[in-house]
Amino acid sequence: MRINTNVSALNAQKNLFLTNKMVEGNTSKLSSGLRISRAADDAAGLAIANNLRTNTREAKMAVNNAQQANAFLQIAEGAASTIQRIIERQAELSIQHTSAQNAGVQSTLEDEYDLLSAEITRIIDATEFNGEAIFSASARSFTVSDSANGDSVSVTLDMAAADVTTAIGAGSTSSALSFVNSILGSVGAAQNRLDYTVANLQNTIVNYAAAESTIRDLDMAAEVADFQKNNILVQAGSSVLAQANQSAQSVLALLR
């Protein structure tokens, strides 16, 4: 029998230290709800989960871009629809102007016609989004991808006030209307595309989140069971260590 080195107590102390570390790990995971509460838990899994979370945030921003693009197009549609109604009124005025019974009010009809032309010019020039003219020959590109490629939807709404008013001034309301209908066609096509884009991105976000959850989130039921097991081991280890520390007391019996 030896009293200087209590091997049994040292073994019990070592095992108690290990089970205490496991209980600390269980507590950290249960309190955070995360399977990976630190890099040491799963370094490779953490890297994949971080990439998925970044992809999710990128996809959410792409959705935001697409929704802003839709807002841009809605403003364009509203302005073009107003111009369309003005041209329809001008077509009525043209027919009214040529009828003999209106000979005495032709100047009044002409004034209204000219004022409506001026309003068309004002609408085209004044319609803006975020400080930039909407009706322009320049293409607008909206980034709608969560990838580094920066996929985008491009929209060109080339409706110059001079083109429309020149056609109207020449008495060709049908030509002016064709400019407006062309814009409305471009707007409608882009809106449909953006609607499908947003739907696809929303689906992508859900899938990214589900994949990240599989890697990062904790199975609470399994962790609670492991926590209970480790708690019992800690209690048992503490009891065994106490017994091991008492074993040296039996040496005193030899001195009696």
Side-chain angles (χ1 to χ4, degrees):
M1 300 181 70
R2 300 177 180 84
I3 60 172
N4 284 334
T5 303
N6 190 337
V7 177
S8 296
L10 290 175
N11 278 327
Q13 184 179 7
K14 177 195 70 175
N15 290 327
L16 183 59
F17 172 79
L18 293 175
T19 51
N20 266 319
K21 290 292 290 182
M22 287 189 287
V23 168
E24 288 176 8
N26 294 139
T27 303
S28 175
K29 292 176 181 179
L30 288 169
S31 61
S32 66
L34 298 174
R35 184 182 71 86
I36 307 175
S37 59
R38 58 185 188 134
D41 292 332
D42 185 354
L46 179 62
I48 296 171
N50 285 342
N51 286 335
L52 287 168
R53 184 160 63 188
T54 300
N55 290 338
T56 300
R57 295 185 65 173
E58 289 174 344
K60 287 180 178 179
M61 181 52 65
V63 168
N64 186 54
N65 288 345
Q67 290 172 337
Q68 289 188 23
N70 249 327
F72 171 91
L73 293 171
Q74 285 169 0
I75 293 172
E77 182 181 11
S81 295
T82 300
I83 293 170
Q84 177 190 358
R85 291 194 298 273
I86 291 174
I87 294 173
E88 289 171 357
R89 173 57 181 163
Q90 286 181 310
E92 290 177 349
L93 291 172
S94 295
I95 299 301
Q96 190 176 7
H97 184 274
T98 58
S99 186
Q101 82 277 8
N102 295 317
V105 294
Q106 283 183 337
S107 61
T108 302
L109 297 174
E110 289 167 1
D111 288 343
E112 182 180 352
Y113 190 95
D114 292 340
L115 286 172
L116 290 175
S117 295
E119 180 59 15
I120 289 173
T121 299
R122 190 197 67 78
I123 291 173
I124 293 174
D125 293 339
T127 304
E128 297 181 345
F129 182 84
N130 198 26
E132 294 187 6
I134 285 181
F135 298 113
S136 168
S138 301
R140 302 299 201 288
S141 294
F142 301 95
T143 302
V144 292
S145 172
D146 62 320
S147 70
N149 297 328
D151 295 337
S152 61
V153 172
S154 293
V155 182
T156 303
L157 304 178
D158 187 6
M159 183 168 63
D163 292 335
V164 178
T165 55
T166 298
I168 291 171
S172 179
T173 52
S174 60
S175 295
L177 197 57
S178 69
F179 283 114
V180 179
N181 287 336
S182 175
I183 294 299
L184 289 171
S186 297
V187 168
Q191 285 176 326
N192 281 331
R193 181 179 179 185
L194 286 169
D195 287 343
Y196 285 115
T197 298
V198 169
N200 181 63
L201 284 170
Q202 294 286 12
N203 185 58
T204 299
I205 289 169
V206 171
N207 290 332
Y208 279 151
E212 182 192 354
S213 176
T214 300
I215 298 170
R216 194 190 297 274
D217 292 346
L218 182 67
D219 182 339
M220 297 294 288
E223 194 67 25
V224 167
D226 195 46
F227 175 66
Q228 295 291 359
K229 179 199 72 174
N230 290 331
N231 256 333
I232 293 171
L233 287 174
V234 167
Q235 295 172 33
S238 298
S239 177
V240 169
L241 179 60
Q243 293 295 323
N245 287 332
Q246 290 295 323
S247 64
Q249 296 293 327
S250 62
V251 176
L252 295 177
L254 301 175
L255 298 176
R256 293 173 185 162

